[in-house]
Amino acid sequence: MVKMSLDPVQVMSGQVKELKVAPSSNGESRGSWEAKEEFDQDHLGLTTKPKPPKPENAVTVAVSSRVLFRTEREQKVFEQKGVEEYLRYQIEHETEPFAPGPAFPFVKALEAVNTRLRELYPQSEELFDIVLVTYNHAHVGIRLINTINHHNLFIERFCMTGGSSPIGYLKAWHTNLYLSADADKVREALAEGIAAATMFMPEKLTEVSDTQLRVAFDGDAVLFSDESERIFKAHGLDKFFEHERDNEDTLLDHGPLKGFLEALGKLQKKFYAKGQRLDCPIRTYLVTARSAASSGIRALKTLRAWGLEIDEALFLAGAPKGPMLEKIRPHIYFDDQMFHVEGAAEMGTIAAHVPYGIAQKYTKQKTSAGK
């Protein structure tokens, strides 16, 4: 099995407990955002960074500080010496920037898309908005800000929860996608209807595009519900094929990442409207173990009925996904099965696990049997 680490929190064999400090409130209500006057120039008349969009207008991506940056050394301090020494260490090293983590190329690609959107639509707030979410105490905020400035990232919104759950804040931010190192919090977000995934850092990294955001999705239990996967797990491949043929014209129900694909599609159409379909800086992929002839048509009909375009669809009929993903070079790949996440990471793809659907039950059974 490929060795993967999840920066300070998770190794494939298990998880470390979260940093717990004082609890805080659980976020504002969905309708609590108020417009405020913001300026595009500083007091000297020099142009500053563009102002972030209002959350209700943006495609909001919330990213844990521990997948955006690498903080393994700091986690060791916490584990070995406790909270107070951990906070002291962070303050003493607050001028030292963190290295990029697994979500870093994805966030840079989101910002590249925003640059293109601002050129075409200077007044529009239909942009990606990145929110940094961390369990850290506010004392660590200075080091995070210094790191963001060092890497020239445009992240103006922070959520430092001091150890409490961020889920209420995610709802207040109108979050379209949440990426974290903590599988439990990802499950909590999914249970609240927020698209979410656990990110992993492969030891080998494939170079990705600086100018085009590439996002790859599995089908069942990611874009679609796990209905068909339940048939396969319970009755085998032949019954699965029979079920798909009998239900060819019945739409699949939506899965946890359908809304994020929809949000990507809305931004793509802004480029199409300006005649830039062939030069669009967003490209989406369906990478599924389904067979094209026997079960692919239902998936494609469902996407069409939803009004969603997918740029490329790969039906692999059970073949390994890793080699295909190596050719695609996505900034992120979403799958509900750890087997495929591991296979992708083995080939250098940054993959994210969506812990949703019947496959999670079977994964737990295998883990229990192996103990």
Side-chain angles (χ1 to χ4, degrees):
M1 180 182 296
V2 62
K3 292 171 64 181
M4 293 190 294
S5 63
L6 192 52
D7 61 314
V9 185
Q10 185 178 18
V11 183
M12 295 301 296
S13 59
Q15 285 193 308
V16 177
K17 288 184 178 179
E18 290 294 332
L19 170 63
K20 299 292 182 184
V21 193
S24 67
S25 64
N26 200 33
E28 299 179 41
S29 65
R30 187 174 274 270
S32 63
W33 296 99
E34 296 181 3
K36 64 179 181 179
E37 186 174 8
E38 298 193 45
F39 297 92
D40 291 327
Q41 294 185 332
D42 62 18
H43 65 286
L44 296 176
L46 301 175
T47 301
T48 62
K49 291 181 179 179
K51 63 184 180 181
K54 296 182 181 67
E56 60 268 25
N57 298 330
V59 176
T60 300
V61 177
V63 184
S64 163
S65 61
R66 297 179 333 199
V67 296
L68 184 57
F69 304 122
R70 302 293 297 269
T71 59
E72 293 91 337
R73 184 181 304 151
E74 289 71 18
Q75 183 66 15
K76 285 182 180 178
V77 173
F78 167 66
E79 292 172 12
Q80 296 170 4
K81 299 183 180 180
V83 174
E84 297 306 321
E85 188 60 34
Y86 168 84
L87 293 174
R88 188 178 299 110
Y89 179 91
Q90 291 281 30
I91 293 169
E92 288 174 354
H93 294 81
E94 63 186 19
T95 60
E96 300 172 14
F98 294 115
F104 189 91
F106 176 64
V107 168
K108 291 292 285 185
L110 299 181
E111 294 188 346
V113 173
N114 278 354
T115 298
R116 291 277 302 275
L117 283 168
R118 287 191 176 101
E119 290 171 356
L120 295 175
Y121 302 93
Q123 304 304 316
S124 176
E125 289 197 332
E126 291 184 274
L127 302 161
F128 290 112
D129 189 19
I130 299 116
V131 178
L132 185 67
V133 177
T134 175
Y135 287 91
N136 273 303
H137 191 281
H139 285 325
V140 185
I142 294 175
R143 189 176 186 192
L144 289 170
I145 292 170
N146 286 338
T147 300
I148 284 168
N149 290 334
H150 172 81
H151 291 295
N152 196 30
L153 296 172
F154 181 57
I155 301 177
E156 297 290 350
R157 305 195 200 277
F158 273 42
C159 182
M160 292 176 278
T161 69
S164 67
S165 172
I167 302 305
Y169 294 107
L170 296 180
K171 296 179 80 170
W173 288 116
H174 300 215
T175 300
N176 297 91
L177 177 67
Y178 173 48
L179 299 174
S180 175
D182 186 341
D184 289 336
K185 289 298 177 285
V186 166
R187 291 188 192 94
E188 190 179 342
L190 288 169
E192 292 292 326
I194 299 168
T198 312
M199 289 201 77
F200 296 90
M201 187 74 178
E203 291 195 355
K204 164 189 163 184
L205 274 177
T206 299
E207 187 176 342
V208 293
S209 173
D210 292 331
T211 57
Q212 185 179 63
L213 170 67
R214 298 177 186 175
V215 184
F217 301 87
D218 181 29
D220 295 294
V222 176
L223 291 180
F224 314 122
S225 73
D226 67 340
E227 168 209 322
S228 299
E229 200 161 317
R230 286 178 179 274
I231 299 294
F232 169 67
K233 295 292 187 185
H235 304 290
L237 194 59
D238 289 341
K239 283 290 184 183
F240 166 77
F241 288 145
E242 181 183 330
H243 177 265
E244 292 303 289
R245 283 194 299 270
D246 291 345
N247 292 275
E248 182 181 302
D249 295 319
T250 302
L251 299 184
L252 289 157
D253 199 0
H254 68 85
L257 270 293
K258 181 246 186 177
F260 183 59
L261 175 61
E262 191 171 31
L264 292 177
K266 287 180 180 178
L267 294 184
Q268 283 181 308
K269 287 175 181 177
K270 293 176 73 70
F271 291 99
Y272 301 167
K274 296 289 188 177
Q276 296 191 11
R277 177 180 284 270
L278 298 181
D279 189 33
C280 182
I282 304 172
R283 194 161 185 83
T284 56
Y285 303 79
L286 173 64
V287 183
T288 174
R290 282 175 175 254
S291 302
S294 55
S295 58
I297 193 167
R298 190 181 182 198
L300 293 177
K301 283 184 175 182
T302 297
L303 289 171
R304 182 197 292 170
W306 288 345
L308 298 182
E309 293 186 38
I310 200 91
D311 293 302
E312 298 188 30
L314 302 178
F315 294 92
L316 303 184
K321 297 181 179 182
M324 295 297 105
L325 291 166
E326 185 182 29
K327 298 301 181 185
I328 293 171
R329 300 185 176 223
H331 293 85
I332 192 167
Y333 168 63
F334 298 99
D335 202 295
D336 67 307
Q337 298 191 56
M338 280 304 303
F339 172 79
H340 293 305
V341 171
E342 291 161 2
E346 201 166 51
M347 305 298 290
T349 296
I350 293 178
H353 181 230
V354 182
Y356 175 86
I358 191 66
Q360 312 317 307
K361 176 182 176 182
Y362 282 80
T363 300
K364 288 179 182 177
Q365 287 177 348
K366 286 182 181 179
T367 301
S368 298
K371 288 182 179 178

